[in-house]
Amino acid sequence: IVTYVAFNKVGYELKSILSPKKYNILRKYLEADFVVSSGGGFINDNFGSIFLVHLFQIFLSLSLGKPTIICAQSIGPLNSKIHRFITRLILNKVALITVREEFSKELITKMHVKTSTYVTADMTFALPKLATNNSTCSHPKGNVFNVGVTVRRWVYPGSRICSEKNRKYIQTFSRFVDCLVEKLGATVFFIPQVIGPKNDDDRKVAHAIFRGVKHKEKVNVLISDYSPFQIMQLIGKMDLFVGTRMHSNIFSLMA
């Protein structure tokens, strides 16, 4: 794709080289006045070099001469010297950086990134809060003590016994759900925030936990693809919320 960018700069017709999907993506870059790399925790090497894919998207917009903004991201950790070098090289070329916490700003400073950097809030706080009576979601119902839960597949970066730790996590959470039912008389709702790709599906983890629960009649594993607004509305109906996913906790604060 770097070759494609070079061809574009000399006026070569890219449509004859790229697949329609790739061409349409590149065309969006070419038509943009500036590019925003939206919020998330993508720039870290917890999982090796895979994060370079995200850096390449930023590099692509810079290569096309587009002013580029890093918006409300978390940056780090970056344990590899070569990863820090590449990241510094690219971040020094962007127009502006905003990060979600002081840790990220401190890391950027230590890496000698010269681009103006500001600490801001996570973008989720900008979502409008919708009235719960407009919700299209039908759960929960009844005069009971409702507890909402989000869970996720843990990968334990750097650990050699991920599967064993994950098994204990699922086992402990099953006991916790039974405790909620027995001590509080709760009805528990597993709310999916992420449903893919591949194994990063909260519903799979919720079903694994459900299999270990004794009081299955008091537990509901929701499986629909809810919008952020619907998730916020569901959480707003709960008497207690226990969040694993960061953004689900922000939804809870907003609700």
Side-chain angles (χ1 to χ4, degrees), residues 22-154:
K22 289 181 179 178
Y23 177 77
N24 285 331
I25 293 172
L26 188 57
R27 185 169 57 84
K28 294 296 184 183
Y29 274 96
L30 294 171
E31 292 173 352
D33 294 309
F34 64 93
V35 175
V36 178
S37 177
S38 60
F42 308 122
I43 304 178
N44 67 76
D45 59 4
N46 278 328
F47 308 102
S49 299
I50 188 67
F51 83 101
L52 295 176
V53 173
H54 299 290
L55 278 185
F56 178 76
Q57 294 172 340
I58 301 169
F59 168 75
L60 178 59
S61 66
L62 293 170
S63 299
L64 293 170
K66 305 297 179 179
T68 304
I69 298 169
I70 308 296
C71 181
Q73 295 208 21
S74 294
I75 298 176
L78 293 165
N79 299 302
S80 163
K81 289 184 179 179
I82 187 65
H83 289 163
R84 287 197 296 273
F85 173 76
I86 296 170
T87 303
R88 179 172 64 249
L89 214 63
I90 292 175
L91 293 185
N92 269 327
K93 298 291 186 182
V94 302
L96 175 70
I97 301 172
T98 63
V99 293
R100 299 188 293 189
E101 60 284 303
E102 289 288 347
F103 171 85
S104 293
K105 186 176 181 181
E106 290 169 5
L107 178 62
I108 288 173
T109 301
K110 289 178 182 178
M111 289 170 54
H112 304 293
V113 173
K114 304 301 182 184
T115 305
S116 295
T117 302
Y118 300 91
V119 177
T120 187
D122 186 272
M123 292 175 67
T124 307
F125 285 108
L127 285 174
K129 181 183 175 183
L130 302 183
T132 51
N133 58 6
N134 291 334
S135 175
T136 58
C137 306
S138 58
H139 299 288
K141 291 180 179 179
N143 186 24
V144 294
F145 188 80
N146 297 310
V147 179
V149 177
T150 57
V151 292
R152 67 165 298 168
R153 173 177 172 264
W154 286 102

Side-chain angles (χ1 to χ4, degrees), residues 8 16 87-88 101 120 126 154 180 201 207 216 221 246:
N8 175 74
S16 61
T87 303
R88 179 172 64 249
E101 60 284 303
T120 187
W154 286 102
L180 287 172
D201 190 324
H207 278 116
K216 291 182 171 59
V221 179
M246 184 189 77

